[in-house]
Structures are given as structure tokens and as C-alpha cells.
Amino acid sequence: MAYQEVTTTGYGTRVGNSFKSIGTGFVLLIAATALLWWNEGRAVKTAKMLEEAGGAWVEMPNPSKIDSNLDGELVCGTAMATTEDSLSDNQFGIGAKAIALKRKVEYYQWVEHSESKSEDKLGGKEVTTTTYTYSQEWVPSPVQSSQFKDPAYQNKNMVLTTVEDQDQWAENVTFGAYKLPEGLIHSISSREAMELAISEDLLTQFDKATKAAYERFYGVQQPAQPVQPIQNVALSDSAKAVADSLQAVNDSINKAMESAQNKKDFEYVHQAGNVLYYGKVPGSPQVGDVRVTFEKIVPAKVTVMAVADGDSFKAFKAKNGKRFQTLVMGKKTGDEIIEDAQDANSTWTWILRIVGIMLVISAFKSIFGFLETILKVVPFIANIFGFGVGIVCTILGVVWSLIVIALAWLFYRPILAICLIAIAGFLVWVFAFKGKDKLKELAAKASNKTAPQPAPVAPAAPAEPAAPVAPTENTEA
């Protein structure tokens, strides 16, 4: 059942908080304006850097051999990223020859969720009802249930063990005859599950420690009562068939259990594939269970675009100071890499623009929100006025953002900005001045269409041809 908490905020407190939010609104407005300005500059500088890199890169035909002629050039080549480094996870006694070892930990915990609904009351009070619900979920870190609102769920969480996430990277990763720098090594993403080979002695230690933690929280588990043997009774053929099938199922379960024991499956610790599970039943988790997943980064074919620097690489530095180097999985051409980078730059530019505009709108709402709060003594009127304030703040936010973006364009790309302003001015002139003549012309055409027209004269009917005269015969008088 959900737990609810009801709080009431007085009119005076609400008005005071709304006036305090004015300062927060101005701070947010300054930060959002700075974000919009910085984003336009970042986009322009990145675009110019990519344009410069796109015209400067050269193909590295054979990365397996160091070419002194390419030293200092922005190169693009494809080769296998490999390593001879052996990495080890000392806590679990495992290791592998890999580019990286990754350990991810999850805890099964009670998680608190909240949903609030506010209602304005006559006189300016606000009643807020917060509903708290709880669910069991896998989360990346232990949850402090002592802070839960519902007393029934407080101190319900525990963990059988505590393990930290960990990433280990090889220091020596080669790209053909070259050595990859750390920044490019961390871009390799060829993940694979790491088969575990934890020693039985270590698993036994883990099992004992986990059992002690389990019993401290859940209590000592009572051993299962032995099943009484079934007395010999006469069975029908159909009942005997059912019994035989049940026996076959039991045999298969026992074989599965035996195979699980061969895979070092203990009472409170279970090793399967690349997962180490702390808990009694992996398929039916309980609060406090922990699962640790192990992965490794293996050698893979990659494409590098960077400046050749002896037997290694360094970032390309453009004329505007922006730096660029990248490693992508698989084989790609330099043009494809530049195009992808340009698309990413455009995408991030629009994302940050939208975020900046939304922050500006929120800032104006914080600044002018006190106007609506003052009228909360009559909620109906306040809601109508608040709707209008919201529209005005949205318009102000959009206009403010466009002005900031336009000024940034004037600063970072003045030629393009001046051209756009000239075009905009021309369009305004056309619609403001030439538009009058166009309207007069359209009005004249409309009046001509509506003016009465003289009735059309019906054309005269064509004369019918004269009937032919029959010839008369000569007769004698």
C-alpha cells in the first residue's frame, strides 16, 4: 500500500519563496545566456576545425610499418588494435590478456519512488500530497533505507557484500607498428563476456562470509524437513505413468544440480558464465543480493585519425586552437569520419540550443512567478493570470535566446550574420513598403471581379436557307 505525506504551505511563506526565486531566476538567466553564447562559439570553432582537418588528412596505407614521411601529418589508417599486456583482478584472482578488464556491480534493493500533487486553496494556502511507493530493483549502489518516508520500509535494505566497480586498461596497445596514446585506447569498445575461473578456495571464503551476512539479517535458516517415503500402493496404469514422468523430472533436476556443483555453485555464491552472484537463488533474488559482471575489451580492427608523431599519435591542432583525434571501430575512410564528426557537432549544437532556450524560459518564469503567487488568494484568477504569465515568459525566453544567438553569430561569424541581417532587412522592406502596392493591386483585381458587367447580347440566329424552287415544265398554251 502506498504511503502518503501531506504538507501545507501558508500564503505568506509562498509569497516569500516566490520573491526569493527572483534572485535564482537572474542567476539562471545569466548561466543560460552564457551557455547559448558559448555553444555558438564552440559550434563555429569545431566546424572550422573539422573543415581544416577534412582538407589536410592523408591516407596511411600501411600502418604495420612506420613511415617517416608521414611524421607530423594528419593521417587516417585502419589496423588491428592489439596488446600483450596481462591484466588481473586481484580481488577475485582472475586475469586475461586484454585491452581492458571491466567489473560492474549491482545490488538488489528496495527503492523509494515519490510523486507529488499540489492543490491551491482559497486564501492562498497550498496543500501538497506526496505519494511514496516502493519496489525491489537492481541498482548500481546500496540504498540507505533508513531515510525512507514510510516507517514500514525503513531499514529494510542490506547487502551481502560490498564490491566496487573497476576498469583496468592496458598501457601498451599497438596499432600496427604504432603505439596508441591513452585517449585513443579508451575509445576501443570491443566488449566480450569474460569467462570466470575463480579458485574454489576463494569461492569458499566468499560463501562463508556471505552466509554470515545473510544469517545476520534474515536469521539462521532451518534445514528442510526430509520427505517421508511413499508407501507401496497399488497404482493404475495412468497414475504409474505420471509417477514415472515425475521421477524422470527429479532425475534431470539432480543431474542439473550435480553439473552446477561441478561449476563451483555454492550455497550462497554462484558462478555462471561471466557473472558472480551473491545470494541463495540467482533466479529469485532477495534484498541484499549482489551480482558482479565481468567483461573484457579484446583486440579489434579500428580506424585512427590523428597526427603521426614518431611511433605514436597526437591530436591535430587547428589554426583556431581546437584539437581533434579520434578512434572508431571498424574500417572507415577519412571523409566518413569527418562527416560523422560534423553531424555530431550539428546535433550537439541543436541539443544545447534547446537546453539553453528552456533554461532561459525557466529563468523568466522564476523572475515573474511572484505575480501569480500574489494572486493565489483566489486560485481561479491566479491560474488564469499564471497561464498568461507563462505565455509571456515563453515569448520573452525565445526572443532573448534568439537575440543572444544572433549576437553570437555577429561575433563568431560576422560575414554570415551580416548577410542574414541584410536578407531579413530586405524582406521586411518588401513586406512593409512593397506590400502596400501589392495589396492595392490585389484589391483592384478583386473590385474588378465584383463590379457589375453589361449583359451579353445574344448573337442573331443565322437565316435559314431558302427552299429550293421546283423547276416548271414547258406547256403549250
Side-chain angles (χ1 to χ4, degrees):
M1 183 176 179
Y3 178 81
Q4 289 187 334
E5 185 179 62
V6 180
T7 57
T8 303
T9 306
Y11 176 71
T13 303
R14 297 182 70 187
V15 173
N17 292 336
S18 66
F19 278 107
K20 291 178 182 179
S21 67
I22 295 176
T24 304
F26 278 110
V27 173
L28 183 59
L29 179 61
I30 294 172
T33 302
L35 172 63
L36 289 171
W37 184 278
W38 169 83
N39 179 48
E40 296 305 317
R42 179 207 61 80
V44 172
K45 291 180 179 179
T46 302
K48 289 182 178 179
M49 177 270 293
L50 292 173
E51 183 179 358
E52 185 178 342
W57 72 273
V58 296
E59 186 73 28
M60 176 181 278
N62 186 16
S64 61
K65 181 180 179 181
I66 296 178
D67 188 350
S68 59
N69 294 326
L70 296 177
D71 200 36
E73 296 284 348
L74 176 62
V75 298
C76 179
T78 302
M80 287 292 295
T82 61
T83 185
E84 294 297 323
D85 289 1
S86 294
L87 305 177
S88 61
D89 189 329
N90 296 329
Q91 183 173 351
F92 295 93
I94 58 176
K97 184 184 292 186
I99 295 174
L101 294 184
K102 292 180 173 288
R103 181 209 299 168
K104 178 184 177 183
V105 187
E106 297 171 285
Y107 301 86
Y108 199 68
Q109 301 279 271
W110 281 107
V111 180
E112 182 180 69
H113 305 276
S114 63
E115 182 180 357
S116 297
K117 293 183 178 180
S118 298
E119 183 179 1
D120 294 324
K121 298 295 185 180
L122 193 64
K125 290 183 179 180
E126 181 185 48
V127 177
T128 302
T129 303
T130 305
T131 303
Y132 297 93
T133 56
Y134 300 85
S135 61
Q136 296 178 1
E137 302 174 13
W138 288 104
V139 293
S141 60
V143 177
Q144 298 297 325
S145 57
S146 60
Q147 305 299 321
F148 286 171
K149 294 293 183 178
D150 190 347
Y153 287 91
Q154 291 178 356
N155 301 313
K156 284 285 189 178
N157 279 339
M158 57 85 68
V159 292
L160 296 177
T161 188
T162 302
V163 183
E164 299 292 334
D165 288 347
Q166 180 177 284
D167 288 350
Q168 293 187 61
W169 290 89
E171 295 181 358
N172 302 298
V173 179
T174 58
F175 176 81
Y178 294 82
K179 180 180 178 181
L180 292 178
E182 181 179 0
L184 296 181
I185 292 174
H186 288 191
S187 298
I188 303 173
S189 58
S190 51
R191 294 192 178 193
E192 284 188 4
M194 180 177 178
E195 292 293 332
L196 302 182
I198 303 175
S199 68
E200 188 168 347
D201 292 340
L202 193 57
L203 288 174
T204 302
Q205 296 178 17
F206 291 159
D207 187 67
K208 289 181 180 179
T210 305
K211 180 180 180 180
Y214 186 94
E215 292 181 346
R216 280 196 301 269
F217 187 79
Y218 287 105
V220 178
Q221 299 296 300
Q222 298 296 328
Q225 297 296 326
V227 179
Q228 297 296 329
I230 300 176
Q231 301 295 327
N232 291 330
V233 294
L235 298 176
S236 64
D237 293 339
S238 59
K240 186 175 181 181
V242 172
D244 291 340
S245 63
L246 291 175
Q247 184 63 39
V249 171
N250 290 333
D251 292 341
S252 63
I253 292 175
N254 292 332
K255 289 181 180 179
M257 292 177 62
E258 291 176 0
S259 63
Q261 290 175 355
N262 293 334
K263 292 181 180 180
K264 302 176 182 179
D265 191 5
F266 289 78
E267 185 178 4
Y268 291 89
V269 174
H270 311 270
Q271 173 187 305
N274 67 324
V275 178
L276 181 64
Y277 192 95
Y278 295 82
K280 287 186 67 67
V281 184
S284 180
Q286 292 180 286
V287 171
D289 287 7
V290 180
R291 65 185 181 192
V292 188
T293 305
F294 298 86
E295 292 180 324
K296 59 183 178 180
I297 302 294
V298 298
K301 179 181 289 187
V302 299
T303 300
V304 169
M305 177 174 276
V307 174
D309 184 27
D311 64 345
S312 186
F313 299 96
K314 64 180 181 180
F316 169 76
K317 185 177 181 181
K319 294 178 181 178
N320 60 10
K322 293 285 289 185
R323 297 179 180 272
F324 176 73
Q325 65 174 357
T326 187
L327 180 148
V328 297
M329 304 304 298
K331 180 177 177 60
K332 281 195 172 185
T333 65
D335 292 335
E336 291 174 334
I337 292 176
I338 295 296
E339 183 179 355
D340 291 343
Q342 289 171 339
D343 292 341
N345 180 45
S346 178
T347 300
W348 275 109
T349 299
W350 278 105
I351 290 174
L352 293 176
R353 278 175 183 165
I354 294 173
V355 171
I357 293 173
M358 298 302 295
L359 290 176
V360 171
I361 294 173
S362 299
F364 279 115
K365 288 182 177 180
S366 296
I367 293 172
F368 296 105
F370 73 94
L371 297 174
E372 178 186 359
T373 305
I374 291 174
L375 298 176
K376 286 294 185 181
V377 288
V378 184
F380 175 72
I381 296 177
N383 291 337
I384 296 175
F385 188 80
F387 180 76
V389 170
I391 294 176
V392 172
C393 290
T394 300
I395 296 173
L396 284 176
V398 173
V399 171
W400 179 280
S401 301
L402 293 178
I403 291 174
V404 172
I405 292 173
L407 292 176
W409 277 36
L410 281 173
F411 183 81
Y412 289 109
R413 35 189 169 188
I415 298 177
L416 179 59
I418 291 173
C419 292
L420 292 177
I421 292 174
I423 294 172
F426 175 75
L427 293 176
V428 170
W429 178 77
V430 168
F431 284 107
F433 297 98
K434 293 296 184 181
K436 295 181 180 179
D437 298 335
K438 186 65 175 177
L439 288 175
K440 291 180 179 179
E441 182 182 348
L442 293 175
K445 290 182 178 179
S447 62
N448 292 334
K449 290 182 179 179
T450 57
Q453 300 292 330
V457 179
E464 295 182 359
V469 179
T472 56
E473 298 180 356
N474 292 330
T475 58
E476 295 180 358

PDB file of all heavy atoms in Angstrom, residues 155-183:
ATOM      1  N   ASN A 155      14.977   0.698   7.099  1.00  0.00           N
ATOM      2  CA  ASN A 155      15.955  -0.329   7.496  1.00  0.00           C
ATOM      3  C   ASN A 155      15.626  -1.696   6.900  1.00  0.00           C
ATOM      4  O   ASN A 155      15.936  -2.734   7.498  1.00  0.00           O
ATOM      5  CB  ASN A 155      16.036  -0.426   9.030  1.00  0.00           C
ATOM      6  CG  ASN A 155      16.448   0.888   9.658  1.00  0.00           C
ATOM      7  OD1 ASN A 155      17.396   1.536   9.216  1.00  0.00           O
ATOM      8  ND2 ASN A 155      15.731   1.298  10.703  1.00  0.00           N
ATOM      9  N   LYS A 156      15.005  -1.677   5.731  1.00  0.00           N
ATOM     10  CA  LYS A 156      14.694  -2.934   5.055  1.00  0.00           C
ATOM     11  C   LYS A 156      15.823  -3.395   4.142  1.00  0.00           C
ATOM     12  O   LYS A 156      15.796  -4.525   3.652  1.00  0.00           O
ATOM     13  CB  LYS A 156      13.416  -2.775   4.219  1.00  0.00           C
ATOM     14  CG  LYS A 156      12.127  -2.779   5.008  1.00  0.00           C
ATOM     15  CD  LYS A 156      11.771  -4.174   5.477  1.00  0.00           C
ATOM     16  CE  LYS A 156      10.393  -4.232   6.080  1.00  0.00           C
ATOM     17  NZ  LYS A 156      10.034  -5.609   6.505  1.00  0.00           N
ATOM     18  N   ASN A 157      16.776  -2.528   3.870  1.00  0.00           N
ATOM     19  CA  ASN A 157      17.858  -2.875   2.950  1.00  0.00           C
ATOM     20  C   ASN A 157      19.088  -3.370   3.678  1.00  0.00           C
ATOM     21  O   ASN A 157      19.399  -2.939   4.796  1.00  0.00           O
ATOM     22  CB  ASN A 157      18.236  -1.663   2.088  1.00  0.00           C
ATOM     23  CG  ASN A 157      17.299  -1.478   0.910  1.00  0.00           C
ATOM     24  OD1 ASN A 157      16.623  -2.415   0.498  1.00  0.00           O
ATOM     25  ND2 ASN A 157      17.253  -0.276   0.367  1.00  0.00           N
ATOM     26  N   MET A 158      19.775  -4.244   3.031  1.00  0.00           N
ATOM     27  CA  MET A 158      21.091  -4.712   3.461  1.00  0.00           C
ATOM     28  C   MET A 158      21.819  -5.216   2.237  1.00  0.00           C
ATOM     29  O   MET A 158      21.224  -5.340   1.158  1.00  0.00           O
ATOM     30  CB  MET A 158      20.963  -5.819   4.513  1.00  0.00           C
ATOM     31  CG  MET A 158      20.155  -7.031   4.072  1.00  0.00           C
ATOM     32  SD  MET A 158      21.097  -8.302   3.136  1.00  0.00           S
ATOM     33  CE  MET A 158      22.191  -8.926   4.372  1.00  0.00           C
ATOM     34  N   VAL A 159      23.097  -5.484   2.341  1.00  0.00           N
ATOM     35  CA  VAL A 159      23.867  -6.067   1.242  1.00  0.00           C
ATOM     36  C   VAL A 159      24.691  -7.222   1.796  1.00  0.00           C
ATOM     37  O   VAL A 159      25.215  -7.151   2.911  1.00  0.00           O
ATOM     38  CB  VAL A 159      24.779  -5.027   0.557  1.00  0.00           C
ATOM     39  CG1 VAL A 159      23.957  -3.996  -0.184  1.00  0.00           C
ATOM     40  CG2 VAL A 159      25.692  -4.334   1.561  1.00  0.00           C
ATOM     41  N   LEU A 160      24.771  -8.277   1.020  1.00  0.00           N
ATOM     42  CA  LEU A 160      25.544  -9.447   1.441  1.00  0.00           C
ATOM     43  C   LEU A 160      27.041  -9.196   1.353  1.00  0.00           C
ATOM     44  O   LEU A 160      27.823  -9.828   2.069  1.00  0.00           O
ATOM     45  CB  LEU A 160      25.168 -10.656   0.584  1.00  0.00           C
ATOM     46  CG  LEU A 160      23.713 -11.133   0.730  1.00  0.00           C
ATOM     47  CD1 LEU A 160      23.436 -12.297  -0.212  1.00  0.00           C
ATOM     48  CD2 LEU A 160      23.419 -11.528   2.174  1.00  0.00           C
ATOM     49  N   THR A 161      27.437  -8.294   0.480  1.00  0.00           N
ATOM     50  CA  THR A 161      28.845  -7.922   0.358  1.00  0.00           C
ATOM     51  C   THR A 161      28.911  -6.582  -0.368  1.00  0.00           C
ATOM     52  O   THR A 161      27.924  -6.138  -0.951  1.00  0.00           O
ATOM     53  CB  THR A 161      29.649  -8.985  -0.415  1.00  0.00           C
ATOM     54  OG1 THR A 161      31.044  -8.676  -0.344  1.00  0.00           O
ATOM     55  CG2 THR A 161      29.231  -9.051  -1.865  1.00  0.00           C
ATOM     56  N   THR A 162      30.057  -5.958  -0.295  1.00  0.00           N
ATOM     57  CA  THR A 162      30.264  -4.681  -0.969  1.00  0.00           C
ATOM     58  C   THR A 162      31.443  -4.819  -1.921  1.00  0.00           C
ATOM     59  O   THR A 162      32.548  -5.174  -1.498  1.00  0.00           O
ATOM     60  CB  THR A 162      30.533  -3.547   0.028  1.00  0.00           C
ATOM     61  OG1 THR A 162      29.437  -3.453   0.947  1.00  0.00           O
ATOM     62  CG2 THR A 162      30.690  -2.224  -0.691  1.00  0.00           C
ATOM     63  N   VAL A 163      31.186  -4.540  -3.187  1.00  0.00           N
ATOM     64  CA  VAL A 163      32.211  -4.630  -4.222  1.00  0.00           C
ATOM     65  C   VAL A 163      32.166  -3.342  -5.036  1.00  0.00           C
ATOM     66  O   VAL A 163      31.075  -2.835  -5.324  1.00  0.00           O
ATOM     67  CB  VAL A 163      31.995  -5.860  -5.133  1.00  0.00           C
ATOM     68  CG1 VAL A 163      33.118  -5.972  -6.155  1.00  0.00           C
ATOM     69  CG2 VAL A 163      31.884  -7.130  -4.308  1.00  0.00           C
ATOM     70  N   GLU A 164      33.308  -2.823  -5.393  1.00  0.00           N
ATOM     71  CA  GLU A 164      33.374  -1.594  -6.175  1.00  0.00           C
ATOM     72  C   GLU A 164      33.477  -1.893  -7.675  1.00  0.00           C
ATOM     73  O   GLU A 164      34.084  -2.889  -8.080  1.00  0.00           O
ATOM     74  CB  GLU A 164      34.594  -0.761  -5.756  1.00  0.00           C
ATOM     75  CG  GLU A 164      34.576  -0.317  -4.298  1.00  0.00           C
ATOM     76  CD  GLU A 164      33.498   0.691  -4.012  1.00  0.00           C
ATOM     77  OE1 GLU A 164      33.091   1.409  -4.955  1.00  0.00           O
ATOM     78  OE2 GLU A 164      33.039   0.757  -2.848  1.00  0.00           O
ATOM     79  N   ASP A 165      32.886  -1.031  -8.472  1.00  0.00           N
ATOM     80  CA  ASP A 165      33.124  -1.094  -9.917  1.00  0.00           C
ATOM     81  C   ASP A 165      34.603  -0.826 -10.203  1.00  0.00           C
ATOM     82  O   ASP A 165      35.266  -0.085  -9.470  1.00  0.00           O
ATOM     83  CB  ASP A 165      32.284  -0.044 -10.650  1.00  0.00           C
ATOM     84  CG  ASP A 165      30.807  -0.394 -10.673  1.00  0.00           C
ATOM     85  OD1 ASP A 165      30.465  -1.546 -10.350  1.00  0.00           O
ATOM     86  OD2 ASP A 165      30.003   0.490 -11.004  1.00  0.00           O
ATOM     87  N   GLN A 166      35.082  -1.417 -11.283  1.00  0.00           N
ATOM     88  CA  GLN A 166      36.504  -1.237 -11.589  1.00  0.00           C
ATOM     89  C   GLN A 166      36.759  -1.406 -13.076  1.00  0.00           C
ATOM     90  O   GLN A 166      36.209  -2.312 -13.706  1.00  0.00           O
ATOM     91  CB  GLN A 166      37.351  -2.254 -10.806  1.00  0.00           C
ATOM     92  CG  GLN A 166      38.840  -2.153 -11.061  1.00  0.00           C
ATOM     93  CD  GLN A 166      39.632  -3.135 -10.209  1.00  0.00           C
ATOM     94  OE1 GLN A 166      39.830  -2.937  -9.020  1.00  0.00           O
ATOM     95  NE2 GLN A 166      40.075  -4.225 -10.831  1.00  0.00           N
ATOM     96  N   ASP A 167      37.572  -0.507 -13.615  1.00  0.00           N
ATOM     97  CA  ASP A 167      38.030  -0.596 -15.007  1.00  0.00           C
ATOM     98  C   ASP A 167      39.550  -0.568 -15.003  1.00  0.00           C
ATOM     99  O   ASP A 167      40.158   0.322 -14.406  1.00  0.00           O
ATOM    100  CB  ASP A 167      37.504   0.578 -15.839  1.00  0.00           C
ATOM    101  CG  ASP A 167      36.015   0.456 -16.122  1.00  0.00           C
ATOM    102  OD1 ASP A 167      35.437  -0.611 -15.842  1.00  0.00           O
ATOM    103  OD2 ASP A 167      35.420   1.441 -16.611  1.00  0.00           O
ATOM    104  N   GLN A 168      40.141  -1.531 -15.675  1.00  0.00           N
ATOM    105  CA  GLN A 168      41.597  -1.565 -15.841  1.00  0.00           C
ATOM    106  C   GLN A 168      41.910  -1.537 -17.330  1.00  0.00           C
ATOM    107  O   GLN A 168      41.321  -2.292 -18.103  1.00  0.00           O
ATOM    108  CB  GLN A 168      42.189  -2.841 -15.222  1.00  0.00           C
ATOM    109  CG  GLN A 168      42.081  -2.923 -13.714  1.00  0.00           C
ATOM    110  CD  GLN A 168      42.835  -4.138 -13.186  1.00  0.00           C
ATOM    111  OE1 GLN A 168      44.051  -4.262 -13.359  1.00  0.00           O
ATOM    112  NE2 GLN A 168      42.119  -5.057 -12.562  1.00  0.00           N
ATOM    113  N   TRP A 169      42.841  -0.670 -17.705  1.00  0.00           N
ATOM    114  CA  TRP A 169      43.217  -0.534 -19.107  1.00  0.00           C
ATOM    115  C   TRP A 169      44.691  -0.866 -19.302  1.00  0.00           C
ATOM    116  O   TRP A 169      45.523  -0.545 -18.452  1.00  0.00           O
ATOM    117  CB  TRP A 169      42.964   0.896 -19.600  1.00  0.00           C
ATOM    118  CG  TRP A 169      41.510   1.237 -19.705  1.00  0.00           C
ATOM    119  CD1 TRP A 169      40.721   1.758 -18.727  1.00  0.00           C
ATOM    120  CD2 TRP A 169      40.666   1.050 -20.849  1.00  0.00           C
ATOM    121  NE1 TRP A 169      39.439   1.913 -19.181  1.00  0.00           N
ATOM    122  CE2 TRP A 169      39.377   1.504 -20.485  1.00  0.00           C
ATOM    123  CE3 TRP A 169      40.880   0.568 -22.133  1.00  0.00           C
ATOM    124  CZ2 TRP A 169      38.303   1.468 -21.374  1.00  0.00           C
ATOM    125  CZ3 TRP A 169      39.805   0.539 -23.020  1.00  0.00           C
ATOM    126  CH2 TRP A 169      38.544   0.981 -22.637  1.00  0.00           C
ATOM    127  N   ALA A 170      44.963  -1.530 -20.408  1.00  0.00           N
ATOM    128  CA  ALA A 170      46.354  -1.833 -20.762  1.00  0.00           C
ATOM    129  C   ALA A 170      47.085  -0.540 -21.120  1.00  0.00           C
ATOM    130  O   ALA A 170      46.494   0.390 -21.668  1.00  0.00           O
ATOM    131  CB  ALA A 170      46.396  -2.812 -21.924  1.00  0.00           C
ATOM    132  N   GLU A 171      48.347  -0.484 -20.803  1.00  0.00           N
ATOM    133  CA  GLU A 171      49.152   0.700 -21.122  1.00  0.00           C
ATOM    134  C   GLU A 171      49.772   0.608 -22.509  1.00  0.00           C
ATOM    135  O   GLU A 171      50.028   1.631 -23.149  1.00  0.00           O
ATOM    136  CB  GLU A 171      50.247   0.886 -20.074  1.00  0.00           C
ATOM    137  CG  GLU A 171      49.725   1.186 -18.674  1.00  0.00           C
ATOM    138  CD  GLU A 171      50.859   1.396 -17.686  1.00  0.00           C
ATOM    139  OE1 GLU A 171      52.047   1.258 -18.100  1.00  0.00           O
ATOM    140  OE2 GLU A 171      50.573   1.688 -16.511  1.00  0.00           O
ATOM    141  N   ASN A 172      50.019  -0.599 -22.965  1.00  0.00           N
ATOM    142  CA  ASN A 172      50.696  -0.804 -24.247  1.00  0.00           C
ATOM    143  C   ASN A 172      49.734  -1.460 -25.238  1.00  0.00           C
ATOM    144  O   ASN A 172      49.545  -2.678 -25.225  1.00  0.00           O
ATOM    145  CB  ASN A 172      51.941  -1.680 -24.060  1.00  0.00           C
ATOM    146  CG  ASN A 172      52.919  -1.075 -23.063  1.00  0.00           C
ATOM    147  OD1 ASN A 172      53.438   0.015 -23.270  1.00  0.00           O
ATOM    148  ND2 ASN A 172      53.165  -1.782 -21.955  1.00  0.00           N
ATOM    149  N   VAL A 173      49.130  -0.642 -26.057  1.00  0.00           N
ATOM    150  CA  VAL A 173      48.230  -1.125 -27.101  1.00  0.00           C
ATOM    151  C   VAL A 173      48.792  -0.653 -28.435  1.00  0.00           C
ATOM    152  O   VAL A 173      49.043   0.537 -28.633  1.00  0.00           O
ATOM    153  CB  VAL A 173      46.799  -0.589 -26.908  1.00  0.00           C
ATOM    154  CG1 VAL A 173      45.893  -1.083 -28.028  1.00  0.00           C
ATOM    155  CG2 VAL A 173      46.246  -1.015 -25.548  1.00  0.00           C
ATOM    156  N   THR A 174      49.015  -1.605 -29.326  1.00  0.00           N
ATOM    157  CA  THR A 174      49.640  -1.280 -30.603  1.00  0.00           C
ATOM    158  C   THR A 174      48.600  -1.174 -31.705  1.00  0.00           C
ATOM    159  O   THR A 174      47.545  -1.820 -31.676  1.00  0.00           O
ATOM    160  CB  THR A 174      50.681  -2.344 -30.980  1.00  0.00           C
ATOM    161  OG1 THR A 174      50.042  -3.627 -31.037  1.00  0.00           O
ATOM    162  CG2 THR A 174      51.801  -2.372 -29.961  1.00  0.00           C
ATOM    163  N   PHE A 175      48.957  -0.345 -32.685  1.00  0.00           N
ATOM    164  CA  PHE A 175      48.151  -0.158 -33.891  1.00  0.00           C
ATOM    165  C   PHE A 175      49.114  -0.348 -35.053  1.00  0.00           C
ATOM    166  O   PHE A 175      49.766   0.585 -35.511  1.00  0.00           O
ATOM    167  CB  PHE A 175      47.555   1.257 -33.874  1.00  0.00           C
ATOM    168  CG  PHE A 175      46.780   1.631 -35.107  1.00  0.00           C
ATOM    169  CD1 PHE A 175      45.472   1.229 -35.270  1.00  0.00           C
ATOM    170  CD2 PHE A 175      47.373   2.399 -36.105  1.00  0.00           C
ATOM    171  CE1 PHE A 175      44.759   1.591 -36.402  1.00  0.00           C
ATOM    172  CE2 PHE A 175      46.668   2.760 -37.241  1.00  0.00           C
ATOM    173  CZ  PHE A 175      45.353   2.349 -37.388  1.00  0.00           C
ATOM    174  N   GLY A 176      49.220  -1.616 -35.481  1.00  0.00           N
ATOM    175  CA  GLY A 176      50.273  -1.929 -36.440  1.00  0.00           C
ATOM    176  C   GLY A 176      51.626  -1.735 -35.780  1.00  0.00           C
ATOM    177  O   GLY A 176      51.924  -2.312 -34.737  1.00  0.00           O
ATOM    178  N   ALA A 177      52.471  -0.885 -36.376  1.00  0.00           N
ATOM    179  CA  ALA A 177      53.784  -0.597 -35.805  1.00  0.00           C
ATOM    180  C   ALA A 177      53.749   0.589 -34.858  1.00  0.00           C
ATOM    181  O   ALA A 177      54.776   0.947 -34.277  1.00  0.00           O
ATOM    182  CB  ALA A 177      54.774  -0.314 -36.932  1.00  0.00           C
ATOM    183  N   TYR A 178      52.593   1.173 -34.642  1.00  0.00           N
ATOM    184  CA  TYR A 178      52.460   2.363 -33.811  1.00  0.00           C
ATOM    185  C   TYR A 178      51.879   1.994 -32.446  1.00  0.00           C
ATOM    186  O   TYR A 178      51.230   0.955 -32.280  1.00  0.00           O
ATOM    187  CB  TYR A 178      51.575   3.405 -34.495  1.00  0.00           C
ATOM    188  CG  TYR A 178      52.164   3.988 -35.751  1.00  0.00           C
ATOM    189  CD1 TYR A 178      52.072   3.322 -36.974  1.00  0.00           C
ATOM    190  CD2 TYR A 178      52.829   5.213 -35.718  1.00  0.00           C
ATOM    191  CE1 TYR A 178      52.610   3.852 -38.128  1.00  0.00           C
ATOM    192  CE2 TYR A 178      53.379   5.756 -36.876  1.00  0.00           C
ATOM    193  CZ  TYR A 178      53.270   5.081 -38.076  1.00  0.00           C
ATOM    194  OH  TYR A 178      53.813   5.607 -39.218  1.00  0.00           O
ATOM    195  N   LYS A 179      52.103   2.875 -31.501  1.00  0.00           N
ATOM    196  CA  LYS A 179      51.561   2.715 -30.153  1.00  0.00           C
ATOM    197  C   LYS A 179      50.467   3.745 -29.941  1.00  0.00           C
ATOM    198  O   LYS A 179      50.658   4.929 -30.190  1.00  0.00           O
ATOM    199  CB  LYS A 179      52.672   2.905 -29.116  1.00  0.00           C
ATOM    200  CG  LYS A 179      52.197   2.745 -27.674  1.00  0.00           C
ATOM    201  CD  LYS A 179      53.341   2.955 -26.695  1.00  0.00           C
ATOM    202  CE  LYS A 179      52.858   2.848 -25.260  1.00  0.00           C
ATOM    203  NZ  LYS A 179      53.961   3.087 -24.282  1.00  0.00           N
ATOM    204  N   LEU A 180      49.311   3.272 -29.470  1.00  0.00           N
ATOM    205  CA  LEU A 180      48.174   4.165 -29.269  1.00  0.00           C
ATOM    206  C   LEU A 180      48.313   4.938 -27.961  1.00  0.00           C
ATOM    207  O   LEU A 180      48.672   4.356 -26.929  1.00  0.00           O
ATOM    208  CB  LEU A 180      46.865   3.382 -29.247  1.00  0.00           C
ATOM    209  CG  LEU A 180      46.414   2.742 -30.558  1.00  0.00           C
ATOM    210  CD1 LEU A 180      45.132   1.957 -30.346  1.00  0.00           C
ATOM    211  CD2 LEU A 180      46.216   3.798 -31.635  1.00  0.00           C
ATOM    212  N   PRO A 181      48.022   6.247 -27.966  1.00  0.00           N
ATOM    213  CA  PRO A 181      48.003   7.008 -26.712  1.00  0.00           C
ATOM    214  C   PRO A 181      46.783   6.650 -25.876  1.00  0.00           C
ATOM    215  O   PRO A 181      45.820   6.042 -26.362  1.00  0.00           O
ATOM    216  CB  PRO A 181      47.948   8.459 -27.183  1.00  0.00           C
ATOM    217  CG  PRO A 181      47.320   8.397 -28.528  1.00  0.00           C
ATOM    218  CD  PRO A 181      47.749   7.094 -29.131  1.00  0.00           C
ATOM    219  N   GLU A 182      46.807   7.039 -24.615  1.00  0.00           N
ATOM    220  CA  GLU A 182      45.760   6.638 -23.674  1.00  0.00           C
ATOM    221  C   GLU A 182      44.374   7.094 -24.129  1.00  0.00           C
ATOM    222  O   GLU A 182      43.392   6.347 -24.016  1.00  0.00           O
ATOM    223  CB  GLU A 182      46.065   7.218 -22.293  1.00  0.00           C
ATOM    224  CG  GLU A 182      45.048   6.838 -21.225  1.00  0.00           C
ATOM    225  CD  GLU A 182      45.391   7.413 -19.864  1.00  0.00           C
ATOM    226  OE1 GLU A 182      46.429   8.105 -19.759  1.00  0.00           O
ATOM    227  OE2 GLU A 182      44.624   7.181 -18.906  1.00  0.00           O
ATOM    228  N   GLY A 183      44.270   8.319 -24.645  1.00  0.00           N
ATOM    229  CA  GLY A 183      42.971   8.827 -25.056  1.00  0.00           C
ATOM    230  C   GLY A 183      42.321   7.990 -26.135  1.00  0.00           C
ATOM    231  O   GLY A 183      41.093   7.812 -26.140  1.00  0.00           O
TER     232      GLY A 183
END
